[in-house]
């Protein structure tokens, strides 16, 4: 579980990317490195129902509830996309449902992600965020109906 | 020297010099081509053929001048055999719809190869479905070459049209089209050659090839986008009905009946892409001014250098190793997705293409999702290939860490 708040983690990421400066090549290499370090998803989660629509490369996303917090696992067939996912997981996984639902993910704009990954990728990233929020909302609704 | 004629080549991408290796998708345009297009719009913009004023006269002269130049470039016997289209895809659609309707009946066959671009698959699928005809596919070997005996086996009296690519866009393979055409003619089939990738790299002589139809694009040979040519033998074009109706393609129109214009106009309905046809003329001048033999030698040298440099990279596998090929290097790297390679190269200023290159059945044959393709042209250099090789090594290093 994450002890840091969403915004603390976002600020950390912004600082890390600031070290890379505005050199796109180093930034993309860094994202790819993050991607290749991401733990691969177990095969049982790499199923069509976990695929996110709107992503050009394949993205599988699995969201579970542990102690009222959202735990995210994800994978992709391309390392750059995996790198993007790893950032989202770092920021959002282990956070409370309300914090995920209400998160203002300002780090994406701050690190100039749009310029780095282009417009098609950016749409894919937006789809991933939307899907994560939908999972959080679905779990919240489920919890409320149980109480 | 050559690089100076292409202003775009001196620009930077992400603070690094542009290395443009996506020439099979479209080549860059020399200044003379860009200037010819601006000059038309600035000095003599007018609609062609029917106008009687000075501007229309000048525009018509320039437009028809391109037709004569194309005729010379491909050695057609008459400029009436040169139909302007919007590109190779448009030309093949014209051929499939028109020649397909004139020749295909239930049970007839159209023969293509396993290395075709979607543009030389889908139009034939559509017309075969409409006419009850059958599409047959001649297989290739692992090197990406047509298996000629299999092609011959598929050639029967039932085959009415053979449509084969001259040079594969994904692999660079040069097909033995002259032989392909002669053997197809022996069974009475008409032959279309998709020359999109060939026209800039090889000399094309349609009379020597004896093809019935030959389609190619201006934008892959230093000319503007939106212009292509469908060459056809007069006898073949005469038996083909018009494909699109409208202005220009008619002789006389009444509500009861329309008579069609003569060749080449019967296939050119509507106002054509005048400016870009005029620009295309400058592109042909540009190519003609180069020494054809030294261009081919230079591209061959680049290809050999590129293959030898990339072969050093850990886990790299070439896709398409035909004995006879143009300067296209398609490859995959073990455990690295082509998309990641393309993104990282772009971040470093190197433009390549990644994916299936509009040849999904070909990718299925190799059982891969896609490749990385570096396609080289006359303005590329060995130093640029060195940059590509270094960047690939860096990418592989991250992955193998």
């Amino acid at each position: 579980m994450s002890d840091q708040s969403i915004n603390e983690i976002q600020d950390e990421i912004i600082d890390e990317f600031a070290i890379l400066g505005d050199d796109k090549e180093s930034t993309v290499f860094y994202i790819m490195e993050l991607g290749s370090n991401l733990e691969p998803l177990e095969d049982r989660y790499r199923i069509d129902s976990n695929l996110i629509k709107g992503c050009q490369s394949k993205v599988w996303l699995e969201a579970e509830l542990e102690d009222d917090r959202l735990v995210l696992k994800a994978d992709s067939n391309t390392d750059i996309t995996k790198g993007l996912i790893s950032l989202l997981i770092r920021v959002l996984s282990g956070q409370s449902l309300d914090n995920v639902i209400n998160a203002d993910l300002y780090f994406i704009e701050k690190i100039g992600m749009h310029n780095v990954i282009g417009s098609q990728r950016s749409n894919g990233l937006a789809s991933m965020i939307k899907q994560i929020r939908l999972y959080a909302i679905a779990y919240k609704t489920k919890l409320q109906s149980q109480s | 020297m050559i690089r100076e004629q292409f202003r775009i080549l001196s620009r930077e991408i992400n603070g690094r010099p542009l290395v443009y290796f996506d020439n099979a998708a479209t080549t860059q345009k020399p200044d003379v081509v860009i200037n010819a297009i601006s000059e038309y719009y600035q000095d003599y913009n007018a609609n062609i053929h029917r106008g009687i004023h000075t501007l229309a006269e000048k525009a018509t002269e320039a437009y028809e001048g391109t037709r004569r130049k194309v005729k010379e470039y491909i050695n057609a016997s008459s400029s009436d055999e040169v139909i302007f289209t919007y590109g190779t895809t448009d030309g093949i659609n014209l051929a499939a719809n028109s020649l397909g309707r004139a020749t295909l009946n239930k049970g007839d066959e159209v023969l293509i190869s396993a290395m075709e671009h979607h543009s030389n698959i889908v139009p034939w699928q559509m017309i075969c479905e409409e006419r009850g005809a059958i599409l047959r596919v001649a297989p290739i070997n692992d090197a990406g070459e047509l298996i000629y005996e299999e092609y011959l086996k598929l050639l029967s009296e039932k085959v009415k049209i053979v449509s084969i690519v001259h040079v594969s866009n994904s692999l660079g393979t040069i097909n033995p089209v002259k032989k392909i055409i002669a053997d197809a003619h022996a069974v009475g089939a008409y032959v279309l050659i998709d020359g999109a990738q060939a026209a800039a790299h090889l000399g094309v002589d349609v009379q020597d090839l004896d093809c019935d139809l030959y389609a190619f694009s201006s934008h892959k040979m230093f000319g503007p986008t939106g212009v292509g040519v469908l060459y056809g033998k007069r006898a073949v074009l005469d038996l083909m009905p018009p494909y699109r109706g409208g202005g220009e393609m008619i002789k006389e129109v009444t509500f009861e009946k329309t008579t069609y214009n003569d060749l080449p106009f019967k296939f050119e309905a509507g106002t054509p892409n005048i400016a870009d046809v005029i620009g295309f003329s400058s592109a042909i001048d540009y190519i003609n001014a180069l020494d054809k033999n030294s261009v081919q030698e230079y591209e061959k040298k680049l290809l050999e250098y590129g293959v030898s440099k990339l072969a050093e990279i850990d886990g790299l596998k070439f896709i398409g190793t035909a004995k006879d090929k143009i300067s296209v290097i398609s490859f995959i790297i073990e455990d690295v997705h082509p998309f990641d390679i393309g993104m990282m190269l772009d971040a470093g200023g190197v433009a390549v293409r990644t994916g299936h290159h509009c040849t999904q059945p070909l990718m299925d044959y190799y059982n891969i999702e896609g490749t990385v393709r570096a396609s080289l042209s006359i303005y590329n250099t060995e130093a640029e290939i060195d940059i590509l090789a270094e960047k690939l090594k860096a990418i592989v290093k991250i992955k193998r860490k």
Side-chain angles (χ1 to χ4, degrees):
Chain A
M1 296 301 109
S2 183
D3 297 329
Q4 282 177 296
S5 76
I6 287 179
N7 287 359
E8 278 166 7
I9 303 171
Q10 290 199 84
D11 292 339
E12 222 175 67
I13 292 173
I14 292 166
D15 287 344
E16 285 167 21
F17 275 76
I19 297 168
L20 301 167
D22 53 10
D23 182 52
K24 189 170 162 181
E25 196 173 18
S26 332
T27 309
V28 174
F29 266 67
Y30 182 59
I31 295 170
M32 175 153 164
E33 226 172 336
L34 292 176
S36 54
N37 292 336
L38 183 72
E39 198 68 21
L41 200 59
E42 290 164 55
D43 279 350
R44 64 190 164 112
Y45 295 126
R46 289 170 70 114
I47 48 176
D48 282 357
S49 58
N50 278 343
L51 270 177
I52 299 183
K53 290 193 185 99
C55 288
Q56 218 185 28
S57 40
K58 282 187 174 163
V59 175
W60 296 270
L61 178 70
E62 166 75 16
E64 284 166 351
L65 195 64
E66 276 176 34
D67 304 331
D68 292 354
R69 285 163 183 259
L70 193 70
V71 174
L72 298 166
K73 290 175 191 151
D75 205 348
S76 170
N77 57 344
T78 77
D79 276 350
I80 288 169
T81 309
K82 266 166 86 173
L84 298 176
I85 299 171
S86 77
L87 291 172
L88 287 181
I89 289 181
R90 192 169 145 197
V91 173
L92 296 174
S93 187
Q95 302 288 344
S96 74
L97 296 178
D98 279 332
N99 283 349
V100 171
I101 293 165
N102 299 320
D104 168 20
L105 298 175
Y106 54 82
F107 82 100
I108 293 169
E109 204 192 310
K110 273 275 170 62
I111 63 179
M113 193 53 80
H114 184 86
N115 180 38
V116 174
I117 60 175
S119 55
Q120 284 184 333
R121 296 288 101 193
S122 294
N123 291 340
L125 187 62
S127 302
M128 285 184 236
I129 295 168
K130 194 174 145 199
Q131 189 58 44
I132 291 171
R133 285 215 170 95
L134 286 175
Y135 275 124
I137 291 168
Y139 278 124
K140 193 182 172 187
T141 314
K142 203 172 148 194
L143 286 180
Q144 281 169 344
S145 66
Q146 284 167 354
S147 59
Chain B
M1 223 325 238
I2 283 180
R3 290 182 71 85
E4 285 162 18
Q5 292 153 350
F6 296 79
R7 205 171 309 174
I8 198 169
L9 296 179
S10 59
R11 69 160 290 173
E12 294 193 335
I13 303 285
N14 305 318
R16 289 165 179 83
L18 164 68
V19 174
Y20 188 77
F21 282 155
D22 197 17
N23 294 289
T26 197
T27 57
Q28 297 302 342
K29 323 302 172 198
D31 289 349
V32 283
V33 168
I34 299 166
N35 293 343
I37 295 167
S38 327
E39 228 170 80
Y40 160 74
Y41 280 125
Q42 283 167 354
D43 294 344
Y44 58 101
N45 171 53
N47 210 333
I48 52 169
H49 292 141
R50 309 264 160 162
I52 49 141
H53 53 78
T54 308
L55 296 182
E57 186 56 43
K58 183 148 196 271
T60 304
E61 184 41 47
Y63 182 89
E64 290 304 323
T66 308
R67 203 189 302 275
R68 290 192 295 275
K69 212 162 274 172
V70 171
K71 175 217 168 243
E72 297 296 325
Y73 186 73
I74 60 173
N75 192 32
S77 55
S78 154
S79 47
D80 293 350
E81 297 177 324
V82 174
I83 315 290
F84 285 122
T85 63
Y86 297 108
T88 306
T89 301
D90 187 44
I92 298 173
N93 274 278
L94 192 174
N97 277 278
S98 178
L99 185 65
R101 275 198 195 109
T103 58
L104 294 176
N105 292 302
K106 200 169 168 24
D108 286 342
E109 295 179 3
V110 173
L111 181 55
I112 61 173
S113 85
M115 67 177 92
E116 301 307 321
H117 188 282
H118 295 163
S119 293
N120 199 26
I121 302 173
V122 184
W124 299 110
Q125 276 174 335
M126 291 161 79
I127 195 69
C128 281
E129 192 174 11
E130 191 183 310
R131 307 293 300 180
I134 301 152
L135 188 65
R136 299 268 186 223
V137 184
I140 58 170
N141 62 24
D142 286 352
E145 296 161 321
L146 185 70
I147 305 174
Y148 208 81
E149 312 83 77
E150 296 296 322
Y151 166 70
L152 288 179
K153 272 188 221 161
L154 286 166
L155 270 183
S156 71
E157 305 277 316
K158 281 190 197 159
V159 176
K160 296 292 179 269
I161 300 170
V162 171
S163 191
I164 299 253
V165 71
H166 195 164
V167 172
S168 154
N169 70 309
S170 298
L171 311 172
T173 309
I174 303 173
N175 276 317
V177 283
K178 197 171 170 179
K179 216 161 88 182
I180 288 172
I181 294 161
D183 285 321
H185 283 165
V187 297
Y190 293 102
V191 185
L192 181 148
I193 300 297
D194 167 1
Q197 298 297 335
H201 297 278
L202 311 173
V204 173
D205 182 333
V206 290
Q207 291 193 74
D208 178 55
L209 291 177
D210 197 31
C211 54
D212 299 291
L213 299 162
Y214 194 98
F216 60 105
S217 299
S218 140
H219 75 97
K220 294 192 198 286
M221 44 193 290
F222 313 113
T225 52
V227 178
V229 168
L230 180 68
Y231 155 83
K233 279 183 190 163
R234 184 187 290 274
V236 177
L237 293 175
D238 276 341
L239 73 90
M240 287 166 56
Y243 165 49
R244 293 193 183 99
E248 187 72 19
M249 51 79 72
I250 53 89
K251 208 164 248 167
E252 204 173 23
V253 177
T254 66
F255 284 118
E256 286 71 38
K257 187 175 168 50
T258 294
T259 49
Y260 302 123
N261 206 338
D262 300 324
L263 287 175
F265 308 111
K266 92 171 176 184
F267 292 111
E268 294 180 6
T271 296
N273 186 355
I274 303 165
D276 293 315
V277 166
I278 290 170
F280 184 29
S281 177
S282 296
I284 297 173
D285 287 340
Y286 180 80
I287 293 178
N288 284 338
L290 301 166
D291 177 58
K292 199 185 284 172
N293 289 332
S294 50
V295 164
Q296 288 190 10
E297 249 168 62
Y298 182 71
E299 288 184 347
K300 192 165 169 256
K301 207 175 109 217
L302 274 185
L303 173 68
E304 282 165 5
Y305 185 75
V307 167
S308 71
K309 290 301 277 189
L310 298 197
E312 294 168 6
I313 288 156
D314 177 31
L316 185 141
K317 186 183 167 205
F318 295 107
I319 303 293
T321 49
K323 279 191 277 302
D324 212 6
K325 63 178 280 182
I326 62 156
S327 46
V328 163
I329 308 176
S330 234
F331 61 90
I332 51 175
I333 297 179
E334 205 185 332
D335 295 331
V336 195
H337 197 280
F339 169 78
D340 286 330
I341 299 173
M343 279 281 286
M344 303 238 274
L345 290 175
D346 174 64
V350 181
V352 294
R353 188 146 292 249
T354 63
H356 54 60
H357 317 296
C358 292
T359 53
Q360 280 178 359
L362 181 61
M363 298 297 118
D364 290 344
Y365 170 79
Y366 284 106
N367 200 17
I368 52 179
E369 236 180 286
T371 73
V372 181
R373 182 187 70 187
S375 49
L376 318 177
S377 187
I378 50 167
Y379 38 66
N380 291 126
T381 63
E382 292 186 353
E384 288 181 311
I385 291 171
D386 290 340
I387 294 174
L388 171 68
E390 271 165 39
K391 290 191 187 298
L392 289 174
K393 278 177 191 160
I395 293 166
V396 170
K397 212 168 140 194
I398 294 185
K399 277 301 287 190
R400 306 277 188 264
K401 219 162 52 178

